Amino acid sequence: MAKTTVRSFVSRLRQRPDGPDVANPWRRKPLADNLTAYLELMLDHTRETTAGGRPRLLLVAEALGFKGGGETGIPLSSPGLLRSGTHPFFEALRPRLAVLPEGGSEATATIAWECFARLEVTPLVWNAFPFHPHQAARPRSNRAPRAAELSEGIDWLRRLDQLVAAHSTPTVVAGVGRKGALAAQAAFPEREVIALRHPSYGGKAEFERGLGQLMSRLDIAALAH
């Protein structure tokens, strides 16, 4: 596998064609530029985090949604978060964005980033299937990714890991929900993958508790470093 840079990674993502029930938002250049800004700032944050002794955290969710990353080009986000999110990462990212799309909030993204703010953590978020799966002829809908799509996503997860590997080691990987955890385990069979409850559908408290326990563990590891 050739060396991956942010721009080559995003360029490769853009080449993936849309399908009858899959949208690739990064075929739109402004959203591809948003993703580039997100990844470049995440790499800067990764360098700062690991310089302080804490391992980087890769959080694997499920897929882009039409109210969230499908509109922004950024995993686990929404137009509302990009415009007014108070997490320090969004405040730093906002002036770097190519476009601030119109739109509202997305429940899972809002819950997750509120939790990240309370725990003072900025995980690198990606998806098991990085594109937007939707119902056929209904682009403003969501559906769960199929097995073949999750298999496709494994290659993207590994490419992403290669992208950030030059900046820090080791990686702590957590999967959000069943499909996020399974995809992370398939992509990184040699690593421990922490399974976190999906924050939607009543899982907010359990998600935050699990992530808090994980961050405490990372803090202990940093102190022992």
Side-chain angles (χ1 to χ4, degrees):
M1 191 180 292
K3 181 180 178 181
T4 301
T5 65
V6 169
R7 294 189 181 276
S8 68
F9 181 78
V10 174
S11 177
R12 187 180 289 269
L13 278 168
R14 293 193 71 194
Q15 295 171 19
R16 205 275 191 194
D18 292 329
D21 56 3
V22 175
N24 179 355
W26 300 303
R27 293 175 68 82
R28 291 174 276 170
K29 188 176 185 301
L31 297 192
D33 290 343
N34 275 4
L35 180 64
T36 298
Y38 165 80
L39 290 173
E40 288 178 342
L41 186 59
M42 272 292 176
L43 291 186
D44 289 343
H45 181 270
T46 292
R47 282 188 284 267
E48 294 170 4
T49 299
T50 54
R54 176 187 271 182
R56 72 178 185 264
L57 173 61
L58 172 61
L59 201 66
V60 182
E62 186 172 287
L64 298 180
F66 78 91
K67 290 183 179 179
E71 292 289 332
T72 65
I74 296 172
L76 201 62
S77 72
S78 69
L81 276 174
L82 293 193
R83 288 197 310 273
S84 58
T86 58
H87 190 289
F89 180 80
F90 280 122
E91 293 178 344
L93 178 64
R94 200 167 291 130
R96 303 181 182 211
L97 294 172
V99 61
L100 283 170
E102 295 296 324
S105 61
E106 196 278 330
T108 299
T110 299
I111 292 169
W113 281 96
E114 287 176 351
C115 174
F116 300 159
R118 283 191 292 271
L119 295 173
E120 299 182 341
V121 58
T122 307
L124 170 60
V125 181
W126 197 246
N127 283 307
F129 181 60
F131 307 100
H132 170 218
H134 59 81
Q135 302 295 328
R138 294 180 58 203
R140 294 191 64 78
S141 67
N142 296 322
R143 66 168 175 80
R146 303 184 183 102
E149 292 165 342
L150 293 174
S151 294
E152 179 184 350
I154 289 171
D155 180 62
W156 292 110
L157 274 169
R158 289 174 176 162
R159 287 182 182 277
L160 179 71
D161 186 64
Q162 182 194 44
L163 173 64
V164 297
H167 301 274
S168 66
T169 55
T171 300
V172 175
V173 184
V176 179
R178 178 176 169 274
K179 291 195 174 182
L182 288 174
Q185 288 163 356
F188 309 115
E190 73 286 359
R191 300 184 201 169
E192 178 187 11
V193 173
I194 310 300
L196 299 175
R197 171 79 156 82
H198 196 286
S200 293
Y201 309 110
K204 177 180 178 180
E206 191 174 342
F207 170 78
E208 184 161 357
R209 183 166 56 251
L211 185 59
Q213 291 169 349
L214 174 57
M215 298 316 299
S216 295
R217 177 175 157 184
L218 296 188
D219 286 337
I220 292 169
L223 289 172
H225 181 69

